[in-house]
Amino acid sequence: MATTLFSGCTSFSWKCYRQQLSHSSPENGISRPKTLPTSTENELIGKEKDDSWGILSRRPLLISGISLSSSSVFGFPGEGLAVVKQGLLAGRIPGLSEPDEQGWCTYRRPEEKSGGHGVGWSPIIPYSFKVPQGWEEVPVSIADLGGTEIDLRFANSKQGRLFVIVAPVLRFADNLGDDATIQKIGPPEKVINAFGPEVIGENVEGKVLSMKTAEHDGRMYYQYELEPPHALITATAAGNRLYLFSVTGSGLQWKRHYEDLKKIAESFRVV
């Protein structure tokens, strides 16, 4: 883009300069006779020429500045883009650890991460889970079909994807207070029937293959497997929020990576 601008500006200035030096200008079909410039006119022409080339010599600096700013502001390939890629995007703060000896990484929701449900809501209590090396965070759009309650997305193109829903418990009951537990919300059957559609986008009747409970550090978790679609869901509650952790995949991903996907689903904890 910079090259195009420069050539355009150069040809325009040179054309103007040639027009200034021209001594023949047709007017009503009559050409004026050429006259030789006086010494004073020669000095003026020389000055105009110097000024014109001075402008041209300064333009490359201006245009190169435009080109540089374009690279960083508009995302054209270059060093500026690399800096943007490595910087922090709004609402996204890295929380993924380095892989352990088995090649698994732990994600923990950073304390500084933005999010919440407006004025009057307490900060989201952090959660964590494990994924194999190669899984990456995926940006959550404000136009996401899951709404503002989707707090996080992760994916691996070969293995599957996951997301975390963090929803105010007041959406479901007004007597749970600020220290909700999943048991207070209801038994496993009630929870999956009420909140399963939030996860898979349709009624869960006839789709629940299994359900079980697990307790970790005094907190209860409900764990479900659904099909179709293939989904492993872990549900719990903490503070004044309900947490729904969903791991999904295609039929082929399910067949090839089921054990890893199950391990991811069962690793979810509110810390």
Side-chain angles (χ1 to χ4, degrees):
M1 180 175 70
T3 304
T4 304
L5 285 173
F6 178 74
S7 62
C9 292
T10 303
S11 61
F12 177 76
S13 301
W14 179 241
K15 181 179 179 181
C16 293
Y17 177 64
R18 291 186 63 185
Q19 287 176 349
Q20 290 173 358
L21 295 181
S22 175
H23 300 289
S24 177
S25 57
E27 190 173 339
N28 297 327
I30 302 175
S31 299
R32 295 182 178 180
K34 297 181 180 179
T35 58
L36 296 176
T38 64
S39 59
T40 303
E41 289 174 337
N42 278 330
E43 292 176 3
L44 290 175
I45 291 172
K47 184 177 184 301
E48 288 175 357
K49 183 176 180 180
D50 290 339
D51 289 344
S52 176
W53 285 111
I55 292 172
L56 292 177
S57 65
R58 290 192 296 271
R59 276 182 174 152
L61 296 176
L62 173 62
I63 293 166
S64 64
I66 293 173
S67 177
L68 179 60
S69 64
S70 298
S71 298
S72 58
V73 176
F74 296 106
F76 292 106
E79 185 177 355
L81 181 59
V83 172
V84 172
K85 282 185 175 180
Q86 294 174 11
L88 300 180
L89 301 180
R92 296 180 62 203
I93 300 177
L96 196 62
S97 72
E98 293 296 321
D100 60 19
E101 294 179 355
Q102 288 74 41
W104 284 69
C105 307
T106 299
Y107 175 87
R108 177 186 168 109
R109 189 186 196 276
E111 301 280 354
E112 302 84 4
K113 180 179 177 179
S114 62
H117 302 97
V119 177
W121 286 97
S122 60
I124 293 176
I125 298 174
Y127 53 79
S128 69
F129 57 85
K130 294 180 180 293
V131 291
Q133 188 174 5
W135 284 64
E136 296 181 346
E137 184 176 352
V138 179
V140 177
S141 169
I142 59 174
D144 199 302
L145 295 178
T148 59
E149 291 171 356
I150 291 187
D151 188 64
L152 180 76
R153 287 187 182 275
F154 257 72
N156 179 291
S157 60
K158 296 181 179 180
Q159 298 177 9
R161 58 194 183 279
L162 66 82
F163 60 89
V164 184
I165 292 177
V166 184
V169 295
L170 283 178
R171 272 190 51 199
F172 319 111
D174 57 5
N175 59 350
L176 297 177
D178 292 330
D179 189 23
T181 64
I182 195 70
Q183 301 97 306
K184 289 180 181 178
I185 294 176
E189 297 85 351
K190 178 182 177 180
V191 170
I192 192 61
N193 287 332
F195 307 122
E198 300 262 342
V199 177
I200 67 172
E202 57 186 272
N203 196 297
V204 300
E205 185 176 356
K207 301 179 185 296
V208 181
L209 297 182
S210 66
M211 63 178 74
K212 62 181 182 179
T213 62
E215 186 173 342
H216 302 283
D217 298 324
R219 192 180 306 283
M220 184 66 69
Y221 297 82
Y222 295 166
Q223 298 171 342
Y224 310 91
E225 181 173 348
L226 280 66
E227 185 182 326
H230 296 290
L232 293 164
I233 301 172
T234 301
T236 192
N240 53 16
R241 290 181 172 88
L242 170 72
Y243 294 74
L244 296 170
F245 181 69
S246 175
V247 181
T248 64
S250 66
L252 183 59
Q253 291 171 335
W254 209 253
K255 182 178 180 180
R256 291 181 175 178
H257 304 286
Y258 175 78
E259 292 301 325
D260 281 348
L261 296 174
K262 186 177 181 181
K263 183 176 178 179
I264 294 172
E266 294 180 351
S267 72
F268 183 76
R269 304 283 188 275
V270 174
V271 298

